[in-house]
Amino acid sequence: MRDVAEQCLRLLLGVSLLLALSTAQANAPLAAGQPLPPLLIEDQGELLLENGRRHFQPWHSDSGLGQPQVIQYMAARISTSKLNEPLTDALQAAGFPPGQLRVTTILNLADAAWGTRGFVLGELESNKKKHPDAVLVADEAGAGLSHWQLAEKNSAIAVIAPDGAIALFHEGPLDKAGIDQVLTMIQGWIDTQQTGSLP
């Protein structure tokens, strides 16, 4: 009788584990080849400067459809921002034609170090002044972290094709091979758009 009970218990544990794994996979919204799950950030949102004064407007992930996009979502921490520097430096050095690539940086203010929120917003405004075409978004409530199920105190990169599909998703720093892959994909999309040929 005990053997039967142990076998049933093992079976139940195995089924529970399979269900947990399948649920986790089903709930993982950022996967290559899938559409980017729509995200609306209304609490703060995209930073805009008008007459030297900053204000925010709601930001939606669909705003860059039709062109290649690199979306970086990160905790509002200095240590986290450094994780993506090799990629952002490579994107800048690649010299893509103006208006052909949309790079969006989303800072999760809910995941900022205690007492640094004002400093982070000041840095965001300073970066906007230096790079007026950059899309900078402040996520006050951490909506992206929960909706896209990202890791806390980390950085994530999503490379989005012009049709809105995720071409690459990665949490943490990209190595050189990953950066080269991103640059190659972006150049391919730009070439396709410029020639007007179908992908």
Side-chain angles (χ1 to χ4, degrees):
M1 190 70 175
R2 180 179 295 175
D3 289 342
V4 173
E6 286 179 357
Q7 287 177 355
C8 288
L9 183 57
R10 286 195 192 106
L11 181 62
L12 285 172
L13 288 173
V15 170
S16 298
L17 181 60
L18 285 173
L19 286 172
L21 288 173
S22 62
T23 300
Q25 290 172 351
N27 289 338
L30 298 188
Q34 300 297 316
L36 180 68
L39 172 65
L40 174 64
I41 296 177
E42 293 183 287
D43 198 350
Q44 295 289 10
E46 182 179 354
L47 170 67
L48 300 175
L49 295 178
E50 289 185 2
N51 300 321
R53 302 188 59 166
R54 75 183 179 206
H55 72 278
F56 295 89
Q57 70 177 17
W59 177 85
H60 196 282
S61 55
D62 286 347
S63 59
L65 278 176
Q67 63 184 143
Q69 295 184 78
V70 175
I71 298 175
Q72 40 184 359
Y73 188 99
M74 63 183 73
R77 299 168 179 263
I78 293 174
S79 59
T80 307
S81 67
K82 293 185 181 299
L83 295 178
N84 289 354
E85 281 184 359
L87 173 63
T88 54
D89 289 348
L91 290 172
Q92 189 169 4
F96 295 118
Q100 296 294 304
L101 172 66
R102 184 181 179 98
V103 179
T104 300
T105 301
I106 307 171
L107 292 182
N108 178 11
L109 296 181
D111 200 358
W114 186 85
T116 63
R117 183 183 176 281
F119 170 77
V120 169
L121 288 176
E123 283 296 301
L124 204 65
E125 181 175 344
S126 175
N127 284 333
K128 183 68 176 177
K129 288 176 180 175
K130 292 177 187 173
H131 310 283
D133 295 332
V135 180
L136 305 176
V137 181
D139 185 2
E140 181 75 36
L145 187 78
S146 57
H147 185 67
W148 285 342
Q149 298 186 18
L150 305 174
E152 295 182 352
K153 299 179 178 63
N154 202 357
S155 175
I157 295 166
V159 180
I160 313 299
D163 64 1
I166 300 169
L168 180 144
F169 170 70
H170 185 82
E171 289 192 88
L174 276 173
D175 59 16
K176 184 180 185 305
I179 293 172
D180 290 344
Q181 181 184 1
V182 171
L183 297 178
T184 299
M185 287 190 295
I186 292 169
Q187 188 62 61
W189 291 322
I190 291 174
D191 291 345
T192 298
Q193 289 178 332
Q194 288 178 340
T195 60
S197 61
L198 292 174

